[in-house]
Structure formats: C-alpha cells, structure tokens
Amino acid sequence: PANSVVRKIHIDGLPFAPDGFAGESAGNLNTIASKNTVEIFTGTLGEIARESVGEALAYLDRIEAAIPSLAEGFRFCPSSESFENLRHLCEGFYWLNMLIDRLDASFRMQLETILIRGIPAPQHHQNFISVLKQLIESQEAGDLVVVSDLLEYEIAPMVAVWREMLGAIEAKMKRMQ
C-alpha cells in the first residue's frame, strides 16, 4: 500500500536473508521458485519508527544495567571483553544518534521544541556527542581511569536523559498521526 515499506520477507516460514543466496549463481532463481510460500510483511513509517523507539528504550535498559560493571572493569582490570563491550556501547549510541536524526528528518520533529529537564533536546544531544568523543579519545590514549569515570559519571546519568528524550519524541510522533 501507499506510504508503507517492506519490513521483512519470509520464504517457507523462514526469514529471507539476501546473503543466504550469495553462493548461488545469479541466474539460478530455481531455489526461490521451488519454495511453497513467500510472505512479504509491510508497515508504515510510523509503525517502524515506534518499533525502533521501543528497541532503543530496551537498549537503554540493557546498557544502564551494564555500565556500572563496565566502568568497574576499566577501573581495576580491563580485559579484551571490556574493550569489546565498550565498542558495542559506542556502536549502540551511534545507532541511537542515527535514530534520533532519522526521526527528526522523517517526522519533522523540530527537536529544539522538545525540552528535557529544561534544556532543548539538541543541546542534550550535543553534550552527549562531546562526552562520547572524550570517551573514545581517552580509550585511544590508554587513559582507562578516565574511561571508567566518563562511563560512571557522565554516560550513566545521560541514559535517563536519552530515555526521556525518546519518550518525548514518541509522544510527539503519536500526536502527529
């Protein structure tokens, strides 16, 4: 239908992964043609956006629980797992940053009109980006005590702000529809 996108495809009840057919020749479409059912699931941009906000909130819950142990690990005895977890944390925040940008662009949110704790959402966003840059720079410089402090005293409190920001964006999206 108009104003909808393909969300996922199932072939014979299994999720279709385009990479799954990479080993086959491009001309051999018999593999797909021999299947019994092809299901195409669609959704509106609003549905997908609300689902993405829900996933982002669930992500914030997970990292909120993980930050104290991650900070402690960097403070006392960082392992390769600590560095891997930090990388995942940074990637997750990059994804959240992209989500906010996409929601703003797609729904014309006018983020500057959304106040979180009396401060416009874009200012919170910029503060977070600044702290995230400090985190990455400290890790690259090998200053793991600063990494730990940033996680514990800067990033952890910002999780609640991100949660409020996503909640306000979600409420604004609902009002717009």
Side-chain angles (χ1 to χ4, degrees):
N3 198 24
S4 66
V5 295
V6 173
R7 298 177 72 183
K8 59 185 170 181
I9 299 172
H10 283 185
I11 298 177
D12 283 346
L14 299 173
F16 170 71
D19 296 348
F21 294 103
E24 301 174 21
S25 69
N28 185 3
L29 296 178
N30 293 333
T31 304
I32 295 175
S34 67
K35 302 298 181 182
N36 291 321
T37 60
V38 176
E39 299 170 285
I40 299 174
F41 299 88
T42 62
T44 66
L45 184 58
E47 291 169 341
I48 293 168
R50 283 189 299 280
E51 207 172 275
S52 295
V53 169
E55 290 173 19
L57 291 169
Y59 173 76
L60 289 173
D61 290 341
R62 288 190 307 275
I63 63 164
E64 186 173 46
I67 285 176
S69 63
L70 185 59
E72 186 176 312
F74 275 103
R75 185 168 286 121
F76 297 110
C77 184
S79 64
S80 60
E81 185 179 348
S82 298
F83 287 97
E84 184 68 16
N85 289 338
L86 182 63
R87 185 180 66 78
H88 287 297
L89 178 91
C90 290
E91 287 173 356
F93 278 120
Y94 176 76
W95 177 78
L96 286 173
N97 186 43
M98 281 184 30
L99 176 63
I100 298 283
D101 288 344
R102 298 274 177 157
L103 293 173
D104 186 27
S106 297
F107 293 94
R108 296 182 180 96
M109 288 279 152
Q110 298 175 347
L111 291 177
E112 61 278 353
T113 65
I114 298 175
L115 297 179
I116 309 298
R117 301 179 182 188
I119 298 171
Q123 188 174 340
H124 283 294
H125 203 195
Q126 288 304 316
N127 292 343
F128 179 75
I129 289 170
S130 173
V131 171
L132 200 55
K133 284 180 182 177
Q134 290 175 38
L135 181 72
I136 292 167
E137 289 168 0
S138 299
Q139 189 249 329
E140 288 173 350
D143 196 344
L144 303 182
V145 172
V146 172
V147 168
S148 178
D149 287 348
L150 287 168
L151 286 167
E152 189 172 4
Y153 301 114
E154 298 289 338
I155 303 274
M158 288 183 177
V159 170
V161 171
W162 273 85
R163 190 177 286 115
E164 289 178 41
M165 191 175 351
L166 286 166
I169 288 170
E170 185 176 44
K172 193 167 188 173
M173 284 176 15
K174 286 179 184 175
R175 286 191 305 269
M176 294 170 72
Q177 294 179 349

